[in-house]
């Protein structure tokens, strides 16, 4: 977490690495949410791009909270986030 925070500065040696990682993660998630949208399972009013950004942001934030307090369960919390973005098919 410290390295990724320090690498926010464009002059940091790891900056380009983290830009690439987050761009690829977001693109992968956007493709997944596009498929979900094509099946009419994406929540109303949410675009695949928004869902990807929300999911990536939640994942990173929950990871940081878990590092501060290992009693947290980021999987359960992420499932809640995804449950608000994807309509259940059951």
């Amino acid at each position: 977490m410290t390295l990724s925070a320090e690498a926010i500065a464009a002059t940091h040696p790891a900056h380009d690495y983290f830009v690439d990682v987050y761009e690829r993660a977001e693109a992968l998630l956007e493709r997944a949410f596009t498929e979900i949208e094509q099946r009419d399972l994406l929540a109303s009013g949410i675009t695949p791009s928004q869902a990807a950004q929300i999911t990536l942001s939640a994942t990173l934030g929950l990871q940081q909270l878990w590092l501060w307090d290992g009693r947290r369960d980021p999987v359960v919390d992420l499932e809640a986030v995804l449950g608000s973005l994807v309509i259940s098919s059951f």
Side-chain angles (χ1 to χ4, degrees):
M1 300 304 295
T2 301
L3 180 59
S4 65
E6 290 174 349
I8 290 171
T11 57
H12 192 279
H15 177 80
D16 291 342
Y17 168 79
F18 282 102
V19 168
D20 181 57
V21 165
Y22 293 138
E23 284 178 351
R24 287 187 293 126
E26 190 172 332
L28 178 68
L29 287 165
E30 188 170 347
R31 285 194 304 273
F33 281 112
T34 297
E35 289 184 26
I36 290 167
E37 180 185 48
Q38 290 169 349
R39 296 179 183 158
D40 293 325
L41 297 175
L42 190 60
S44 177
I46 302 291
T47 67
S49 177
Q50 290 170 322
Q53 291 173 29
I54 291 165
T55 302
L56 182 57
S57 297
T59 300
L60 295 171
L62 290 167
Q63 178 186 19
Q64 185 172 5
L65 291 173
W66 175 76
L67 288 170
W68 285 334
D69 181 358
R71 295 171 296 173
R72 292 179 177 268
D73 190 343
V75 173
V76 169
D77 293 338
L78 188 57
E79 286 174 346
V81 170
L82 293 173
S84 71
L85 299 173
V86 178
I87 301 166
S88 176
S89 60
F90 300 105

